Amino acid sequence: MKIGVIGTGQFARSFISLWQMHPDVEAVYACDLVPERAKEHQEKYDLAGTFADAEEMLASDVDSVAVMTQRWTHGSLVLQALEAGKNVYSAVPMAITVEEIKAIVDKVTETGLIYMMGETSYYNPAVVWARDKVAEGAFGRVFYAEGDYVHDMDNGFYAAYKYSGGEDWKKTASYPPMLYPTHAIGGVLGALPTYATSVSCIGIVDDRGDGVFDKDVSLWGNDFSNMSGLFHLADGGAMRTNEFRRVGYWQGHESRFRFYGTDSVMEQTGHGATWSIKTEGEDYRKGDTLDISDLFYTRERQMPEGFGDVDPALMQSFASGTAKVQDRSRLPKEFEGAHNGHEGSHHFLADDFVRAVTTKTQPPVNAWKAARFTLPGVIAFESARQGGARLPIPDFGDGPENPAW
């Protein structure tokens, strides 16, 4: 396959280098609104070439594109790529409106092309562990689950928005937290075979006063820096998620998850995790609480070469090892020793897309799953704007059966 990468910012280079070394990728190309960045990537990673812009790339013979642009631009670029007959890998989120998300699902249904959203939480170690335990029935009925994305703006986000936003960076640094919901929601719904049907969300108005999360400055008229949503699930259970951008907690697991079942409970914190189980054979008696923190640690924290312009506070997004629960046996041998990120997820995501395109099978986070990871946040933002009103969440179905990778 041939992959064209649209957008060569700090995050894209992680995947450009992995696809360049993948044995089933023939060529990697790039383009960027700042052409010099694309040229730098071509020289650093020995890419096949660059294009002047996305339109030129979509008119070329690349069969697949990766959309790695600003988070609010994904929907329209993905639709352009699908219209051009290209398979698509998209950074998160899928899109920021119900209409764009539906249009992507409809276009994938119509064309049969591959769409994959690169949600890191699907391969978050805690989610991998929970998904296996849910499949085994170890939790009993999971009636409640929590997923949080706790990332303070001072923890590297100011620098990232300045890097990509230019002189008007404050307009976009106010990006509504619930429109970036997949690191929290994707972890819960990446483990549970259900989806959200309604939400009530509370938005907490920012009081920093620095022009970020200021309604008069924000491109979205947004002044919420922290948001909490309570969701009803299709299986009768409940899910709660937090999206926090002003919080006095910086290190450890930015995304953390908790699953409460009738037979056992897993609770993850910023630095640890426990699993509480009933004693076998004795109803309603609490059993052992096991410390399972070690299963989820990805110990590598050294910044890889070529990421010197990234704020050190964002290091764990670009540098991580592999956790004990992540099975590397399915990965290409060429990925051994290659830099990783987001708690060991990058290798799996890069390989997922190549597998999907070359075998013509749907990836785990396909268009339908991506919609279920993204739509709840879109509706939650509207709920917060309406003072926490409970609103229904549309659903576009299961789509094709996912492969058990």
Side-chain angles (χ1 to χ4, degrees), residues 13-30:
R13 68 190 67 160
S14 298
F15 291 87
I16 285 175
S17 59
L18 291 172
W19 284 322
Q20 180 71 345
M21 69 179 65
H22 198 292
D24 293 329
V25 176
E26 177 185 343
V28 182
Y29 299 83

Side-chain angles (χ1 to χ4, degrees), residues 54-55 71 107 114 175 221 383 401:
E55 287 70 26
R71 56 194 69 177
K107 184 57 65 174
I114 297 298
Y175 188 80
S383 168
E401 183 178 352

Side-chain angles (χ1 to χ4, degrees), residues 109-283:
T109 302
E110 173 193 331
T111 63
L113 292 165
I114 297 298
Y115 169 91
M116 174 180 163
M117 185 176 74
E119 177 41 55
T120 58
S121 71
Y122 189 83
Y123 280 114
N124 182 291
V127 176
V128 172
W129 181 91
R131 185 161 55 242
D132 288 344
K133 293 301 180 185
V134 168
E136 293 171 8
F139 281 106
R141 180 192 179 189
V142 180
F143 58 88
Y144 176 76
E146 299 177 345
D148 303 331
Y149 182 52
V150 178
H151 193 138
D152 190 275
M153 285 291 293
D154 290 322
N155 191 22
F157 265 179
Y158 275 102
Y161 277 110
K162 289 176 182 178
Y163 178 88
S164 58
E167 292 183 359
D168 291 332
W169 66 271
K170 287 187 178 181
K171 287 185 177 180
T172 53
S174 63
Y175 188 80
M178 275 293 175
L179 293 187
Y180 196 70
T182 60
H183 290 342
I185 293 171
V188 174
L189 299 184
L192 301 179
T194 188
Y195 57 93
T197 58
S198 66
V199 60
S200 175
C201 182
I202 299 299
I204 299 171
V205 175
D206 192 55
D207 62 0
R208 175 75 69 89
D210 64 355
V212 176
F213 300 113
D214 182 330
K215 275 189 174 181
D216 295 332
V217 177
S218 170
L219 185 63
W220 299 274
N222 174 56
D223 58 1
F224 299 138
S225 55
N226 294 327
M227 306 184 77
S228 295
L230 180 62
F231 301 83
H232 194 212
L233 302 180
D235 64 359
M239 168 178 71
R240 195 268 301 134
T241 68
N242 290 320
E243 289 286 344
F244 292 160
R245 303 295 179 267
R246 301 287 197 202
V247 56
Y249 187 90
W250 281 22
Q251 299 302 320
H253 303 293
E254 289 178 345
S255 295
R256 70 283 301 266
F257 304 97
R258 291 163 292 280
F259 297 88
Y260 294 79
T262 53
D263 290 341
S264 71
V265 171
M266 188 276 272
E267 296 179 299
Q268 186 183 28
T269 63
H271 291 281
T274 58
W275 184 26
S276 302
I277 55 177
K278 286 182 180 178
T279 302
E280 187 175 352
E282 296 186 63
D283 291 341

Side-chain angles (χ1 to χ4, degrees), residues 258-338:
R258 291 163 292 280
F259 297 88
Y260 294 79
T262 53
D263 290 341
S264 71
V265 171
M266 188 276 272
E267 296 179 299
Q268 186 183 28
T269 63
H271 291 281
T274 58
W275 184 26
S276 302
I277 55 177
K278 286 182 180 178
T279 302
E280 187 175 352
E282 296 186 63
D283 291 341
Y284 307 113
R285 174 184 163 187
K286 293 177 181 172
D288 294 329
T289 296
L290 309 176
D291 186 338
I292 58 172
S293 308
D294 190 55
L295 297 177
F296 302 159
Y297 286 147
T298 53
R299 291 168 178 75
E300 180 63 44
R301 282 291 182 268
Q302 290 185 338
M303 186 68 77
E305 184 181 352
F307 286 77
D309 59 347
V310 175
D311 190 309
L314 288 175
M315 182 171 60
Q316 67 182 11
S317 296
F318 297 92
S320 73
T322 303
K324 290 181 179 179
V325 296
Q326 292 168 320
D327 180 10
R328 295 188 57 86
S329 63
R330 51 154 276 197
L331 296 172
K333 66 181 188 303
E334 288 83 357
F335 282 10
E336 287 299 322

